Amino acid sequence: MPTARDIVDQLSRLLPPERVLSAPSDLEHYGRDWTRQVAPAPSAVVLPGSVEQVQALVAWARRTGVPLVPSGGRTGLSGGAVAANGEVVVAMDRMNRVLGFDAADRRLRVQAGVVTESVQREARARGLLYPVDFASRGSSQIGGNIATNAGGIKVLRYGLTRQWVSGLKVVTGTGDVLDLNQGLVKNATGYDLRHLFIGSEGTLGFIVEADLVLAPQPPEQQVMVLAVPALEALMPLFDRLRSGLVLGAFEFFTDQALSHVLAHGGKRPFQGSAPFYVLAEFDADDEAALACFEAAADAGEVADGVVSQSRAQAAELWHLREGITESLASRTPYKNDVSVRIGEVPAFLSRMQALFQREYPQFEVVWFGHLGDGNLHISVLRPQDMAADRFAAECGRVTRLLGEVLHEMGGSISAEHGLGLLKKPFLRYVRSEEEIALMRGLKRVFDPDGILNPGKVVDL
Ligand code: MLT
Ligand code: ZN
């Protein structure tokens, strides 16, 4: 493998030299994502400006054996965009143009480096909606969203990113450029390779362009936050709200999670407190909301609650849920992001809470997530008196215990954060040996030299 200096020299002949970065601050900045557990150590960072330049980088990597790490907004939480072993980070920041809009197809063609919030703005400007949404919308890029099949807070109504991608241009690990599905609604011509790249975490190819389908704007939305006195009330409440309202989101957090947001400037939604809270977003309907609330209160499913009366209030309520990650960030939590079938959420929750109490009473465990999707985020905070390496080892054990329960329940060890570096070792809990062997076979087809995002998803 060439030295870091040789790598920078060679790359500077391939790309305009100002697009090749090697200052320690750049290596630090581009070498990591929002996962803080792994130290970045790339050899260099490059900022290609065209598909041809991406192809040239792939050809160079195949010649030299220096691997490439595709990089978007780096908001991932499993280490999928971390370059920890001398790789070259290929950041898509400069490929950030909107390429066109087709009104009949409601199709927006974008380069991979367009930020999610810009896509949402472009859609709004045309009276439409790009419905994939999450707290990191201001930094995450569409290429990264597609590479991780991003979920977020609107999955209940709109599904995952996969549903909104009608075409993809990719550069594979062999340097081939593939134009997949070209924005078609119907295309019954064999294997749909587009879907292999969605969620592949940059291990099969670079996503360089995408066709995104836009949705009609929904009616005005309202938000309610409800205090839920007992675990057993969560699913009956979900059923009640989805029968009585047109529901767009059904999110959940514990009182402990709320306390972190309140400590960071969040506003308490009402006086009373409860062990659990639910945030529901729905097509505005004061009357139906009140009827649901009253019926839920009579059934003992809610102890208190508030319904937004303005957009500002709705945003304030959303902040109680969306602000959790930021409020925990300074504690560098160890995150698990799991899913079970929706009906099994209460059983899973009580099983895991009992397990944490029994095995790890000293850990503060913060629970929140997308309850309507069966997706729970479990953030474990390091006790002040525990050394970082012991904490990391214990958290590995926590994930193995989780893996065993999820294996038994047919759940997933990563619902929406991907495998990255952190969750790859736990893949065997939720995918069979045969399935993993087939995934490896696919990796060999698209990236025979193993130059794309090594150490993520599967090995060659
Ligand atoms: C969320 O739902 O807020 C995100 O997935 C981030 C997180 O799990 O911390
Ligand atoms: Zn989430």
Side-chain angles (χ1 to χ4, degrees):
M1 187 146 138
T3 65
R5 178 178 282 268
D6 288 343
I7 289 174
V8 171
D9 285 348
Q10 292 175 21
L11 291 171
S12 303
R13 286 195 287 275
L14 225 55
L15 258 62
E18 68 277 14
R19 302 294 174 212
V20 181
L21 313 178
S22 57
S25 58
D26 290 323
L27 299 182
E28 164 82 21
H29 175 71
Y30 284 97
R32 64 161 84 226
D33 59 17
W34 282 8
T35 320
R36 287 296 183 239
Q37 275 85 355
V38 191
S43 297
V45 178
V46 289
L47 297 150
S50 67
V51 176
E52 292 71 27
Q53 287 182 356
V54 175
Q55 267 186 299
L57 287 164
V58 169
W60 172 83
R62 295 191 79 189
R63 260 193 329 270
T64 60
V66 179
L68 307 175
V69 174
S71 177
R74 294 178 302 285
T75 57
L77 295 163
S78 294
V82 174
N85 292 302
E87 305 93 331
V88 170
V89 177
V90 182
M92 304 306 278
D93 301 22
R94 287 187 61 242
M95 295 180 66
N96 62 352
R97 279 183 302 124
V98 173
L99 300 172
F101 174 67
D102 186 308
D105 286 280
R106 289 184 169 163
R107 178 173 58 95
L108 194 68
R109 177 99 180 158
V110 295
Q111 288 185 309
V114 178
V115 168
T116 312
E117 201 165 53
S118 308
V119 172
Q120 294 171 339
R121 210 177 307 119
E122 291 284 340
R124 251 194 322 274
R126 293 165 171 92
L128 295 167
L129 174 79
Y130 180 66
V132 180
D133 196 19
F134 34 72
S136 61
R137 63 183 75 79
S139 316
S140 67
Q141 296 177 5
I142 207 71
N145 295 356
I146 295 170
T148 54
N149 189 22
I153 56 178
K154 302 282 168 68
V155 173
L156 186 65
R157 178 176 292 186
Y158 294 107
L160 297 151
T161 296
R162 182 182 301 286
Q163 199 162 320
W164 303 95
V165 178
S166 64
L168 273 188
K169 185 181 274 192
V170 300
V171 178
T172 69
T174 56
D176 294 318
V177 178
L178 307 179
D179 243 314
L180 303 170
N181 198 58
Q182 292 109 341
L184 297 172
V185 176
K186 290 187 169 180
N187 184 2
T189 52
Y191 312 129
D192 193 338
L193 300 181
R194 159 187 53 153
H195 287 296
L196 272 182
F197 286 86
I198 303 174
S200 65
E201 297 187 48
T203 60
L204 303 180
F206 284 90
I207 289 160
V208 287
E209 288 174 20
D211 289 301
L212 303 174
V213 183
L214 305 182
Q217 283 277 8
E220 186 71 24
Q221 299 292 293
Q222 266 180 309
V223 173
M224 60 162 86
V225 170
L226 303 172
V228 182
L231 190 63
E232 298 69 40
L234 288 169
M235 294 332 266
L237 183 60
F238 179 41
D239 253 349
R240 187 182 299 285
L241 295 192
R242 73 175 158 180
S243 308
L245 298 166
V246 183
L247 215 52
F250 188 79
E251 300 276 313
F252 137 100
F253 46 97
T254 58
D255 197 39
Q256 209 160 5
L258 176 65
S259 70
H260 286 279
V261 180
L262 297 181
H264 284 77
K267 225 169 109 188
R268 186 172 273 289
F270 33 69
Q271 273 319 304
S273 68
F276 306 102
Y277 299 89
V278 150
L279 179 150
E281 188 176 76
F282 51 96
D283 287 0
D285 188 339
D286 266 325
E287 222 171 276
L290 185 65
C292 281
F293 177 79
E294 282 175 354
D298 287 346
E301 292 158 8
V302 302
D304 209 339
V306 60
V307 181
S308 66
Q309 296 303 319
S310 66
R311 280 191 192 175
Q313 193 184 8
E316 225 166 63
L317 294 177
W318 260 119
H319 177 69
L320 299 174
R321 163 62 187 85
E322 287 201 299
I324 298 170
T325 298
E326 206 184 315
S327 75
L328 301 176
S330 64
R331 302 281 304 271
T332 319
Y334 182 89
K335 286 170 180 284
N336 280 293
D337 160 45
V338 306
S339 64
V340 291
R341 283 179 291 276
I342 296 165
E344 292 185 278
V345 167
F348 175 78
L349 259 173
S350 59
R351 232 174 124 171
M352 290 316 299
Q353 283 186 334
L355 185 145
F356 275 113
Q357 257 151 36
R358 193 178 65 238
E359 304 269 335
Y360 291 104
Q362 75 277 39
F363 281 1
E364 184 183 343
V365 185
V366 182
W367 297 82
F368 63 100
H370 316 283
L371 209 64
D373 314 329
N375 177 189
L376 296 165
H377 297 311
I378 311 166
S379 300
V380 185
L381 303 183
R382 179 160 69 92
Q384 306 274 333
D385 58 351
M386 187 179 280
D389 51 351
R390 160 118 193 269
F391 180 64
E394 295 295 346
C395 286
R397 181 166 174 261
V398 166
T399 307
R400 284 196 295 280
L401 292 172
L402 265 170
E404 279 162 22
V405 174
L406 290 164
H407 175 75
E408 225 180 89
M409 296 181 81
S412 174
I413 198 79
S414 183
E416 59 172 5
H417 292 175
L419 292 169
L421 282 176
L422 295 192
K423 294 299 183 295
K424 175 171 166 273
F426 307 100
L427 182 59
R428 66 190 172 85
Y429 287 103
V430 292
R431 299 287 189 108
S432 68
E433 261 177 51
E434 293 78 4
E435 208 176 349
I436 294 173
L438 287 167
M439 285 163 75
R440 278 213 190 95
L442 289 169
K443 171 80 174 162
R444 276 195 291 274
V445 168
F446 289 100
D447 180 23
D449 303 307
I451 51 134
L452 291 182
N453 220 5
K456 326 283 166 59
V457 186
V458 286
D459 298 318
L460 264 190

